[in-house]
Amino acid sequence: NEYLTTFSSYEWCWKGDIQKAYKEFEAEGPSLDEFEAKLKSFTAIEKQVEQMKGQHQISALMLQTASLANSLKDLAETWKAAFAKQLHKDAWAKLESVSEMIKETRKKLLREVAQGDMDSLADVMATLRAVYVKESEIDLDMVPIEHMYRILGEHLPNIMDAE
């Protein structure tokens, strides 16, 4: 029946391997915009499936498709969550890297400089120069991290709540 073919466009949801699909997606080196578009496509599927009628009549037969639609929606949500989880992992790693660099720099700056200890003073001054040089680099490192967390907050707020 024509109606049943409506569901065939979602066949990849239950036949596909999420991990394999993500590895293929990641191998393409997607930009954050492409990642966001992928998450939006999963959200669009959820919305399409939500709009499906819970039943469909074919002659004397009444098909109850509400549970099928709910299952499809859950599958799309699972795909979206899997991709978002990987994005979160990447964002967390980048944020942790910047955070670690800040901690190390702070530790160097808080080093006590005794009166007359020129070596310690030179080390602190060198650290200050390095901070000055890295300031714009740190800002540039934060932009994609903020973008990743904005994407996650928009498409999967529950990941953000858990953090």
Side-chain angles (χ1 to χ4, degrees), residues 12-13 18 22 25 35-47 50 72-88 151-159:
W12 60 269
C13 284
I18 295 174
Y22 180 77
F25 178 71
F35 216 109
E36 185 172 20
K38 191 70 165 177
L39 293 177
K40 282 182 180 180
S41 73
F42 295 132
T43 302
I45 290 168
E46 289 177 52
K47 289 179 182 175
E50 277 179 359
L72 277 173
K73 183 180 175 217
D74 290 345
L75 282 170
E77 208 169 284
T78 301
W79 278 79
K80 181 171 73 170
F83 275 63
K85 184 177 180 183
Q86 292 298 326
L87 181 63
H88 183 251
I151 291 169
L152 288 168
E154 185 177 320
H155 296 283
L156 258 96
N158 58 339
I159 283 183

Side-chain angles (χ1 to χ4, degrees), residues 76-153:
E77 208 169 284
T78 301
W79 278 79
K80 181 171 73 170
F83 275 63
K85 184 177 180 183
Q86 292 298 326
L87 181 63
H88 183 251
K89 195 166 123 179
D90 293 347
W92 182 261
K94 288 181 180 192
L95 184 60
E96 192 64 29
S97 172
V98 170
S99 178
E100 191 60 36
M101 188 269 306
I102 291 170
K103 285 178 191 174
E104 290 297 318
T105 303
R106 189 171 193 277
K107 188 167 51 170
K108 289 177 184 177
L109 288 174
L110 292 176
R111 179 179 177 185
E112 191 169 322
V113 178
Q115 189 171 351
D117 187 359
M118 297 305 282
D119 289 337
S120 293
L121 182 59
D123 287 343
V124 170
M125 293 305 292
T127 302
L128 283 172
R129 273 193 299 280
V131 167
Y132 178 73
V133 169
K134 281 189 166 189
E135 183 179 9
S136 61
E137 186 181 314
I138 293 168
D139 287 343
L140 289 175
D141 287 345
M142 291 304 291
V143 170
I145 294 170
E146 290 171 350
H147 189 189
M148 288 177 181
Y149 277 107
R150 184 191 57 74
I151 291 169
L152 288 168

Side-chain angles (χ1 to χ4, degrees), residues 1-70:
N1 185 321
E2 294 171 23
Y3 180 71
L4 295 178
T5 60
T6 315
F7 296 101
S8 65
S9 63
Y10 304 109
E11 190 174 326
W12 60 269
C13 284
W14 64 83
K15 284 190 174 180
D17 180 353
I18 295 174
Q19 297 306 320
K20 183 180 175 189
Y22 180 77
K23 285 179 183 176
E24 290 171 0
F25 178 71
E26 187 179 40
E28 296 171 4
S31 68
L32 286 177
D33 290 335
E34 291 168 328
F35 216 109
E36 185 172 20
K38 191 70 165 177
L39 293 177
K40 282 182 180 180
S41 73
F42 295 132
T43 302
I45 290 168
E46 289 177 52
K47 289 179 182 175
Q48 289 169 2
V49 171
E50 277 179 359
Q51 293 175 354
M52 289 181 177
K53 294 179 182 175
Q55 56 189 20
H56 182 77
Q57 187 165 358
I58 302 172
S59 298
L61 179 66
M62 180 65 79
L63 297 176
Q64 299 295 328
T65 57
S67 63
L68 177 60
N70 287 335

